[in-house]
Each structure stands twice: as structure tokens, then as C-alpha cells.
Amino acid sequence: MPDIPQLCLATLPAVPAAVARPAYDPRAIGVGIFHLGVGAFHRAHQAVYTDDVLARDPRWGICGISLKSARTIEPLAAQDGLYTLLTRTSDGVTARVVGSLREAMFAGAARAAAIARMADPRITVITSTVTEKGYCHDPATGALNDEHPDIAHDLAAPDAPESAIGIVVAGFAARRAANAGGITFVCCDNLPHNGRMVEGLVHAFAQRRDAALARWIADHVTFPSAMVDRIVPATTPEDLVFAQHVLGLHDAAVVAAEPFGQWVIENRFGAARPAWEEAGAQLVADVAPFELMKLRLLNGSHSTLAYLGFLLGHEFVWQAVRDPLIATLIERQMHDEIVPTLTRLPGVDLPAHCRKLLERFANPALPHRTQQIAMDGSQKLPQRLLGAVRERIAAGAPLAHLPLAVAGWIRYASGSDERGGRIDVQDPLVGAFRRIVDDAHGDPGAIADGFLDLPSVFGADLGAHDAFREAVRGYVVQLFRDGAQVTLAHHLGVA
Ligand code: CS2
């Protein structure tokens, strides 16, 4: 087989006309954004909005760093930051080469260089997609977790940081020393009030490091909140083959996404920024209603269908959502329990929004694994499901489906499937989960109790709320005894 050349700046002109290319010369643009976490989601979301902006304003190329692995960086470095975005629908696939990622570094190998990059006065925006667990916070309270090994390490060695927060604070220290001026940090992970939360984490960390630095940050850095939305499953071998076929070039950094995308950003920038609104982003005074809608309707449904769908044997989201038991459950959960907790947004028809979500989930061209969404549940449940539980309890409103969704997580995280197979549970708390299951000696009620006693997930309040606890416990026992099929059918009254 002849060697297929790799996508890079030198081969970019060979990309066929049917594939969209950067509408600017990537060699001629500057770097104005520093990004942490160059995984698939960033490459299919913020980097694409920025790619659209660059045709008109060449200041906003991205310097992306990976914190944990060199694997995402190597192909990007070899390809001069270029990669293909595939947009997948049941009608077909479109391909586009994105050029906004101008520099790519692995923090593990280029820590000092990455930190120094944040002191460049031309860089005035930092963005981050490091996943929920990447902020080293306590999921129930949003406070910095001092006991997290990466935070403990970074507080002891602030010049050789490993965590996202430690790296950013080191970057702010470098920026302060260089007198490089103000900067904005836009968190782009699915966390509640993500700007405020990250601001609190940065301040807590900086304060422990140096009070004068903490003051500098308070005076020079703003932390807008943002709602980000686009379904971007992990890239598959088929995506790589498809991209090679349409490009005639090899691309090892392909990402594949749905056509839908949304980015709502709080307009609280303290320094120059890209005109992302020209690429379709919404700049608003208050992101909170958008964020709650997204976290509770999309992500809350995603987690519910991932745990229960996995237990029912569904590998992909599109299969789970075509199962009438799952579809009915998440429809009812959205309408009966989530929508009543949301603030009405002008121009948003919530029932239509829920229908659209089900359509997006049902996209058969997106092989989105239930296992992928199921990971890190301890970091996701508080904002996806438990915030609504708390509000309903406070309002004296009934709980019907949410306790079953929480029980689905516990049943899944207990580590064995309904056929006795082992589940590869990926979660920072997996060690605690295993201890709970071992100590329960096969008693499902004791397993439920052990999980409900995890304060970093349920806080001090929910674990101690008798009615919620009993409801979750009852479903966990039923899931173990009767299986997900019977439990769901019984719950929905279709048995
Ligand atoms: C998903 C999200 O992996 C997950 O937990 O729920 O990544 C989801 O696909 C995105 O937030 C959609 O915007």
C-alpha cells in the first residue's frame, strides 16, 4: 500500500475542494487564546467557533495544552495543529479542516514553556475543557479539595504544578511578574456556575500560595460562566478511515460531532476577546438559566439513560433512546421533575427543546457509548440530577423518577452487570465504591446505604433525607433483585 501523506500545513493545499478549509492562512495568524485540555470536545466546539472568527480577525489562534497525556498532542504537533471535524447525521457526513490550534504542548514535557506562554500580553483569554474531575473540587460543595493529591502536590511545589488550577495560578504569577495585563478565564466544562466556581478554586489556591498574587488575580482576571453544548463522542477507527478517504491524507487527530452546537457566555471579559458572537455564540448578562437547562435536561437525561441503558444491554445512546422504557422514563423525568425547576427563557419552548434533545440522542450516525457518559458519575451527578432533587425537596414537590436515575448510577457503579460480568467503572471514587461493595457482602440495601453516605456526592443534606434515601434504596434493591427491565416496566406502569 502506498504511503498516504499526513495532513499538515505543507499538504493542506492538496485537500479536495469538497472539504472546507481554513478561510485564512494559518501561518499568518497570532496566538491570543491559551487552552487547557485539547480533547475531542474542545476541537469540535470552541476551536471551531474560533476558526470561524479567524477569517476576520487574525489575533485569536489557540495555544492548546494537554495536562495528562502526550497522546493527544503528538498527532496535533505532527500535523501543525490541523485536524478534520466530521459532522455526522443520518443523511451523511461533512468534513472540514480546522486551523485555529496553532500551538500544542504536553504540560508534562513542557511545563515551564506552557506557564510562560500565559505571560504573553497578546494572550488575553484562557479557556478550559479538562472534564469535571480536572478541577480537583468537592463535587457537592464546589470547594477546592485540599486533599486531592494533585492539589497537595502543587501547593508544595507551586513552580512545578500538575493540576489545571495549579498551572493557571502559576501562569497568573508569571503574568503578574511580566506586567502583561488583565486576562479572562472561560471555563467550558459542564459544571454549575462554572465561572464562579473556578474563580473560587483559583482564589483558594492562590491565597494559600501568596496573598499578594491572590489580590493581583482579583484585580486582573475575570471568570465568566459559560454553557457549552455539542455531542462529541470519542473518535472511532471508522472516523479515521472516513477522513482519510475524503481528504486523501492521513489525519490522526480527527473528531466527529453532531451538527448542533451552542455556546452561551457571560459577558464579563476584562480584556480583549474574539468576537465569538459572529460565529454564533451568545453573549448574555446571566448564563445561569441556560446552564441549568443544559445540565439538567441534556446531561441529566444523558446520565440517566447511560446507567439504566447500559444495564439493559445498550452499547450506544441511540440504541438506549430507541428503547421505549428508556425513552418514556427520560421524557417523564424531563417534563415532570426537571422542567418545573427551570427558569423560563425568552424564545425557548421547553417542550420543543425536550423533543429536540431526544432527536439529538437518537442520531444513529453518532456511536456515543453509554459507557463513555457513565464515567466519572461521582463528579457529574450533583449538577445533573441532585440539584433538581434538592430544589424539589425544598419546594415540597414529589420525587418520582430522579431516585430511580440515582439508583441506576449506584447499581452500575457497584461494578457488576446483570449477567454477572465485571463493569469497567471509571471514576475518581472507584476505590471507595469497591470498599462499599466489599463491606456490603452482597446486601443491596447496604450497598445503597454506602453510596448514599458519600458526602462529596450527596452532601450532608441529601444522604440524611429519609424519604429520598428510602426511595433510592428501594430502587437499588429492586434493580439488583429484578433487573433493569422489570424495574423500569414496573416503575412506568407498563408491566
Ligand atoms: C455527556 C456530555 O459525556 C457526558 O457525560 O453527557 O459530554 C454531553 O455529550 C455534552 O455535554 C453535550 O453538550
mmCIF file of all heavy atoms in Angstrom, residues 41 45 132 190 228-233 258 260 294 298-300 302-303 360-361 368-369 372-375 380 384, ligand 1:
data_model
loop_
_atom_site.group_PDB
_atom_site.id
_atom_site.type_symbol
_atom_site.label_atom_id
_atom_site.label_comp_id
_atom_site.label_asym_id
_atom_site.label_seq_id
_atom_site.Cartn_x
_atom_site.Cartn_y
_atom_site.Cartn_z
ATOM 1 N N PHE A 41 -13.738 17.308 22.614
ATOM 2 C CA PHE A 41 -14.784 18.312 22.785
ATOM 3 C C PHE A 41 -14.277 19.713 22.426
ATOM 4 O O PHE A 41 -14.934 20.454 21.689
ATOM 5 C CB PHE A 41 -15.350 18.300 24.217
ATOM 6 C CG PHE A 41 -16.444 19.307 24.373
ATOM 7 C CD1 PHE A 41 -17.657 19.138 23.724
ATOM 8 C CD2 PHE A 41 -16.255 20.464 25.109
ATOM 9 C CE1 PHE A 41 -18.661 20.080 23.809
ATOM 10 C CE2 PHE A 41 -17.252 21.423 25.209
ATOM 11 C CZ PHE A 41 -18.464 21.222 24.562
ATOM 12 N N HIS A 45 -15.675 22.132 19.375
ATOM 13 C CA HIS A 45 -16.528 23.224 19.887
ATOM 14 C C HIS A 45 -15.787 24.557 19.840
ATOM 15 O O HIS A 45 -15.752 25.230 18.807
ATOM 16 C CB HIS A 45 -17.028 22.870 21.294
ATOM 17 C CG HIS A 45 -18.098 23.774 21.808
ATOM 18 N ND1 HIS A 45 -17.814 24.968 22.410
ATOM 19 C CD2 HIS A 45 -19.455 23.685 21.810
ATOM 20 C CE1 HIS A 45 -18.943 25.579 22.751
ATOM 21 N NE2 HIS A 45 -19.964 24.806 22.398
ATOM 22 N N GLU A 132 -14.979 17.357 34.371
ATOM 23 C CA GLU A 132 -15.422 17.748 35.710
ATOM 24 C C GLU A 132 -14.337 17.488 36.750
ATOM 25 O O GLU A 132 -14.043 18.317 37.602
ATOM 26 C CB GLU A 132 -16.700 16.982 36.109
ATOM 27 C CG GLU A 132 -17.941 17.313 35.290
ATOM 28 C CD GLU A 132 -18.092 16.500 34.013
ATOM 29 O OE1 GLU A 132 -17.109 15.850 33.570
ATOM 30 O OE2 GLU A 132 -19.204 16.516 33.432
ATOM 31 N N ASN A 190 -18.933 21.152 31.963
ATOM 32 C CA ASN A 190 -20.333 21.062 32.397
ATOM 33 C C ASN A 190 -20.462 21.098 33.912
ATOM 34 O O ASN A 190 -20.796 20.099 34.548
ATOM 35 C CB ASN A 190 -20.941 19.749 31.888
ATOM 36 C CG ASN A 190 -21.161 19.773 30.397
ATOM 37 O OD1 ASN A 190 -21.701 20.731 29.846
ATOM 38 N ND2 ASN A 190 -20.730 18.713 29.723
ATOM 39 N N VAL A 228 -21.820 25.242 27.493
ATOM 40 C CA VAL A 228 -21.295 24.686 26.235
ATOM 41 C C VAL A 228 -22.134 23.479 25.849
ATOM 42 O O VAL A 228 -22.541 22.712 26.718
ATOM 43 C CB VAL A 228 -19.820 24.249 26.374
ATOM 44 C CG1 VAL A 228 -18.901 25.434 26.465
ATOM 45 C CG2 VAL A 228 -19.616 23.331 27.564
ATOM 46 N N ASP A 229 -22.398 23.327 24.574
ATOM 47 C CA ASP A 229 -23.193 22.171 24.148
ATOM 48 C C ASP A 229 -22.799 21.702 22.756
ATOM 49 O O ASP A 229 -22.846 22.478 21.793
ATOM 50 C CB ASP A 229 -24.690 22.554 24.169
ATOM 51 C CG ASP A 229 -25.599 21.338 24.031
ATOM 52 O OD1 ASP A 229 -25.068 20.198 23.999
ATOM 53 O OD2 ASP A 229 -26.834 21.531 23.957
ATOM 54 N N ARG A 230 -22.421 20.470 22.664
ATOM 55 C CA ARG A 230 -22.269 19.759 21.402
ATOM 56 C C ARG A 230 -21.939 18.312 21.760
ATOM 57 O O ARG A 230 -21.054 18.067 22.590
ATOM 58 C CB ARG A 230 -21.135 20.345 20.545
ATOM 59 C CG ARG A 230 -21.101 19.722 19.163
ATOM 60 C CD ARG A 230 -20.296 20.517 18.173
ATOM 61 N NE ARG A 230 -20.716 20.166 16.817
ATOM 62 C CZ ARG A 230 -20.177 20.650 15.717
ATOM 63 N NH1 ARG A 230 -19.205 21.528 15.796
ATOM 64 N NH2 ARG A 230 -20.606 20.279 14.531
ATOM 65 N N ILE A 231 -22.621 17.391 21.156
ATOM 66 C CA ILE A 231 -22.355 15.984 21.447
ATOM 67 C C ILE A 231 -21.181 15.524 20.585
ATOM 68 O O ILE A 231 -21.235 15.582 19.351
ATOM 69 C CB ILE A 231 -23.617 15.120 21.216
ATOM 70 C CG1 ILE A 231 -24.715 15.548 22.218
ATOM 71 C CG2 ILE A 231 -23.278 13.643 21.377
ATOM 72 C CD1 ILE A 231 -26.044 14.828 22.048
ATOM 73 N N VAL A 232 -20.116 15.131 21.277
ATOM 74 C CA VAL A 232 -18.857 14.760 20.595
ATOM 75 C C VAL A 232 -18.373 13.429 21.176
ATOM 76 O O VAL A 232 -17.628 13.416 22.154
ATOM 77 C CB VAL A 232 -17.764 15.839 20.815
ATOM 78 C CG1 VAL A 232 -16.551 15.548 19.934
ATOM 79 C CG2 VAL A 232 -18.293 17.243 20.560
ATOM 80 N N PRO A 233 -18.809 12.307 20.601
ATOM 81 C CA PRO A 233 -18.341 11.021 21.136
ATOM 82 C C PRO A 233 -16.849 10.839 20.878
ATOM 83 O O PRO A 233 -16.273 11.546 20.040
ATOM 84 C CB PRO A 233 -19.131 9.994 20.317
ATOM 85 C CG PRO A 233 -20.202 10.744 19.612
ATOM 86 C CD PRO A 233 -19.727 12.145 19.471
ATOM 87 N N GLU A 258 -22.043 15.875 16.309
ATOM 88 C CA GLU A 258 -23.367 16.143 15.748
ATOM 89 C C GLU A 258 -23.346 17.550 15.121
ATOM 90 O O GLU A 258 -22.444 18.349 15.403
ATOM 91 C CB GLU A 258 -24.412 16.096 16.867
ATOM 92 C CG GLU A 258 -24.193 17.203 17.916
ATOM 93 C CD GLU A 258 -25.336 17.354 18.906
ATOM 94 O OE1 GLU A 258 -26.446 16.882 18.631
ATOM 95 O OE2 GLU A 258 -25.107 17.973 19.968
ATOM 96 N N PHE A 260 -25.468 20.021 15.748
ATOM 97 C CA PHE A 260 -25.883 21.048 16.709
ATOM 98 C C PHE A 260 -24.699 21.569 17.520
ATOM 99 O O PHE A 260 -23.812 20.825 17.902
ATOM 100 C CB PHE A 260 -26.927 20.458 17.670
ATOM 101 C CG PHE A 260 -27.443 21.461 18.658
ATOM 102 C CD1 PHE A 260 -28.529 22.256 18.343
ATOM 103 C CD2 PHE A 260 -26.816 21.638 19.889
ATOM 104 C CE1 PHE A 260 -28.994 23.205 19.249
ATOM 105 C CE2 PHE A 260 -27.279 22.573 20.800
ATOM 106 C CZ PHE A 260 -28.375 23.361 20.471
ATOM 107 N N LYS A 294 -29.295 23.196 30.456
ATOM 108 C CA LYS A 294 -28.394 22.249 29.779
ATOM 109 C C LYS A 294 -27.982 21.103 30.704
ATOM 110 O O LYS A 294 -28.055 19.926 30.351
ATOM 111 C CB LYS A 294 -27.173 23.024 29.273
ATOM 112 C CG LYS A 294 -25.921 22.200 29.027
ATOM 113 C CD LYS A 294 -25.998 21.448 27.754
ATOM 114 C CE LYS A 294 -25.012 20.356 27.470
ATOM 115 N NZ LYS A 294 -23.741 20.238 28.033
ATOM 116 N N LEU A 298 -30.225 18.061 29.282
ATOM 117 C CA LEU A 298 -29.379 17.226 28.410
ATOM 118 C C LEU A 298 -28.519 16.279 29.240
ATOM 119 O O LEU A 298 -28.631 15.060 29.153
ATOM 120 C CB LEU A 298 -28.499 18.085 27.497
ATOM 121 C CG LEU A 298 -27.770 17.263 26.412
ATOM 122 C CD1 LEU A 298 -27.463 18.108 25.188
ATOM 123 C CD2 LEU A 298 -26.513 16.562 26.863
ATOM 124 N N ASN A 299 -27.658 16.850 30.095
ATOM 125 C CA ASN A 299 -26.714 15.984 30.793
ATOM 126 C C ASN A 299 -27.416 15.066 31.807
ATOM 127 O O ASN A 299 -27.022 13.912 31.974
ATOM 128 C CB ASN A 299 -25.621 16.818 31.478
ATOM 129 C CG ASN A 299 -24.776 17.602 30.473
ATOM 130 O OD1 ASN A 299 -24.775 18.827 30.467
ATOM 131 N ND2 ASN A 299 -24.058 16.922 29.615
ATOM 132 N N GLY A 300 -28.459 15.576 32.457
ATOM 133 C CA GLY A 300 -29.197 14.735 33.409
ATOM 134 C C GLY A 300 -29.832 13.547 32.701
ATOM 135 O O GLY A 300 -29.774 12.410 33.178
ATOM 136 N N HIS A 302 -28.836 12.317 29.816
ATOM 137 C CA HIS A 302 -27.719 11.506 29.332
ATOM 138 C C HIS A 302 -27.263 10.513 30.397
ATOM 139 O O HIS A 302 -27.074 9.337 30.126
ATOM 140 C CB HIS A 302 -26.542 12.435 28.989
ATOM 141 C CG HIS A 302 -26.164 12.419 27.549
ATOM 142 N ND1 HIS A 302 -25.150 13.197 27.063
ATOM 143 C CD2 HIS A 302 -26.638 11.718 26.495
ATOM 144 C CE1 HIS A 302 -25.030 12.986 25.769
ATOM 145 N NE2 HIS A 302 -25.916 12.096 25.399
ATOM 146 N N SER A 303 -27.065 11.023 31.624
ATOM 147 C CA SER A 303 -26.574 10.136 32.683
ATOM 148 C C SER A 303 -27.622 9.080 33.018
ATOM 149 O O SER A 303 -27.295 7.900 33.174
ATOM 150 C CB SER A 303 -26.198 10.944 33.932
ATOM 151 O OG SER A 303 -25.042 11.707 33.663
ATOM 152 N N ARG A 360 -31.767 14.475 19.085
ATOM 153 C CA ARG A 360 -30.296 14.518 19.038
ATOM 154 C C ARG A 360 -29.713 13.215 19.579
ATOM 155 O O ARG A 360 -28.776 12.657 19.022
ATOM 156 C CB ARG A 360 -29.779 15.722 19.847
ATOM 157 C CG ARG A 360 -30.041 17.060 19.181
ATOM 158 C CD ARG A 360 -29.715 18.232 20.101
ATOM 159 N NE ARG A 360 -28.315 18.274 20.483
ATOM 160 C CZ ARG A 360 -27.823 19.011 21.492
ATOM 161 N NH1 ARG A 360 -28.631 19.769 22.217
ATOM 162 N NH2 ARG A 360 -26.555 18.980 21.774
ATOM 163 N N PHE A 361 -30.275 12.724 20.683
ATOM 164 C CA PHE A 361 -29.774 11.472 21.263
ATOM 165 C C PHE A 361 -29.965 10.307 20.283
ATOM 166 O O PHE A 361 -29.183 9.365 20.277
ATOM 167 C CB PHE A 361 -30.522 11.119 22.553
ATOM 168 C CG PHE A 361 -30.300 12.080 23.697
ATOM 169 C CD1 PHE A 361 -31.190 12.115 24.765
ATOM 170 C CD2 PHE A 361 -29.200 12.926 23.728
ATOM 171 C CE1 PHE A 361 -30.993 12.978 25.841
ATOM 172 C CE2 PHE A 361 -29.001 13.800 24.807
ATOM 173 C CZ PHE A 361 -29.906 13.827 25.853
ATOM 174 N N HIS A 368 -22.176 6.990 20.236
ATOM 175 C CA HIS A 368 -21.837 7.531 21.551
ATOM 176 C C HIS A 368 -22.087 6.440 22.583
ATOM 177 O O HIS A 368 -23.225 6.064 22.843
ATOM 178 C CB HIS A 368 -22.733 8.749 21.829
ATOM 179 C CG HIS A 368 -22.175 9.691 22.836
ATOM 180 N ND1 HIS A 368 -22.848 10.794 23.274
ATOM 181 C CD2 HIS A 368 -20.998 9.698 23.495
ATOM 182 C CE1 HIS A 368 -22.106 11.452 24.153
ATOM 183 N NE2 HIS A 368 -20.985 10.803 24.302
ATOM 184 N N ARG A 369 -21.054 5.941 23.185
ATOM 185 C CA ARG A 369 -21.169 4.796 24.097
ATOM 186 C C ARG A 369 -21.800 5.206 25.436
ATOM 187 O O ARG A 369 -21.397 6.217 26.024
ATOM 188 C CB ARG A 369 -19.790 4.223 24.404
ATOM 189 C CG ARG A 369 -19.157 3.516 23.256
ATOM 190 C CD ARG A 369 -18.088 2.519 23.729
ATOM 191 N NE ARG A 369 -18.142 1.338 22.902
ATOM 192 C CZ ARG A 369 -17.682 1.305 21.652
ATOM 193 N NH1 ARG A 369 -17.113 2.366 21.147
ATOM 194 N NH2 ARG A 369 -17.792 0.214 20.930
ATOM 195 N N GLN A 372 -19.180 5.665 27.922
ATOM 196 C CA GLN A 372 -18.412 6.918 27.940
ATOM 197 C C GLN A 372 -19.103 7.947 28.848
ATOM 198 O O GLN A 372 -18.471 8.639 29.633
ATOM 199 C CB GLN A 372 -18.249 7.486 26.512
ATOM 200 C CG GLN A 372 -17.285 8.667 26.493
ATOM 201 C CD GLN A 372 -17.182 9.376 25.140
ATOM 202 O OE1 GLN A 372 -17.609 8.866 24.108
ATOM 203 N NE2 GLN A 372 -16.619 10.567 25.156
ATOM 204 N N ILE A 373 -20.421 8.030 28.727
ATOM 205 C CA ILE A 373 -21.157 9.001 29.540
ATOM 206 C C ILE A 373 -21.196 8.561 30.997
ATOM 207 O O ILE A 373 -21.201 9.383 31.914
ATOM 208 C CB ILE A 373 -22.580 9.166 28.971
ATOM 209 C CG1 ILE A 373 -22.486 9.727 27.555
ATOM 210 C CG2 ILE A 373 -23.434 10.076 29.850
ATOM 211 C CD1 ILE A 373 -23.761 9.636 26.782
ATOM 212 N N ALA A 374 -21.183 7.231 31.200
ATOM 213 C CA ALA A 374 -21.282 6.700 32.568
ATOM 214 C C ALA A 374 -20.060 7.021 33.418
ATOM 215 O O ALA A 374 -20.138 7.020 34.644
ATOM 216 C CB ALA A 374 -21.487 5.182 32.515
ATOM 217 N N MET A 375 -18.930 7.332 32.779
ATOM 218 C CA MET A 375 -17.724 7.514 33.598
ATOM 219 C C MET A 375 -17.799 8.779 34.455
ATOM 220 O O MET A 375 -18.510 9.724 34.139
ATOM 221 C CB MET A 375 -16.457 7.495 32.739
ATOM 222 C CG MET A 375 -16.261 8.656 31.819
ATOM 223 S SD MET A 375 -14.873 8.345 30.726
ATOM 224 C CE MET A 375 -13.519 8.785 31.786
ATOM 225 N N LYS A 380 -20.401 14.001 38.285
ATOM 226 C CA LYS A 380 -21.455 14.514 37.401
ATOM 227 C C LYS A 380 -22.823 14.587 38.077
ATOM 228 O O LYS A 380 -23.611 15.488 37.799
ATOM 229 C CB LYS A 380 -21.566 13.619 36.156
ATOM 230 C CG LYS A 380 -20.346 13.670 35.247
ATOM 231 C CD LYS A 380 -20.469 12.650 34.100
ATOM 232 C CE LYS A 380 -19.340 12.794 33.094
ATOM 233 N NZ LYS A 380 -19.378 11.744 32.056
ATOM 234 N N ARG A 384 -26.125 17.285 37.644
ATOM 235 C CA ARG A 384 -27.046 16.771 36.627
ATOM 236 C C ARG A 384 -28.384 16.350 37.222
ATOM 237 O O ARG A 384 -29.427 16.534 36.605
ATOM 238 C CB ARG A 384 -26.406 15.589 35.909
ATOM 239 C CG ARG A 384 -25.182 15.993 35.139
ATOM 240 C CD ARG A 384 -24.571 14.844 34.379
ATOM 241 N NE ARG A 384 -23.448 15.339 33.595
ATOM 242 C CZ ARG A 384 -22.997 14.780 32.484
ATOM 243 N NH1 ARG A 384 -23.562 13.686 32.036
ATOM 244 N NH2 ARG A 384 -21.988 15.301 31.830
HETATM 245 C C1 CS2 B 1 -22.060 13.798 28.202
HETATM 246 C C2 CS2 B 1 -21.579 15.145 27.691
HETATM 247 O O1 CS2 B 1 -20.062 12.585 28.474
HETATM 248 C C3 CS2 B 1 -21.032 13.091 29.046
HETATM 249 O O2 CS2 B 1 -21.187 12.985 30.252
HETATM 250 O O3 CS2 B 1 -23.246 13.978 28.900
HETATM 251 O O4 CS2 B 1 -20.276 15.114 27.242
HETATM 252 C C4 CS2 B 1 -22.512 15.691 26.572
HETATM 253 O O5 CS2 B 1 -22.396 14.913 25.408
HETATM 254 C C5 CS2 B 1 -22.204 17.126 26.247
HETATM 255 O O6 CS2 B 1 -22.249 17.901 27.427
HETATM 256 C C6 CS2 B 1 -23.176 17.678 25.210
HETATM 257 O O7 CS2 B 1 -23.059 19.041 25.121
#
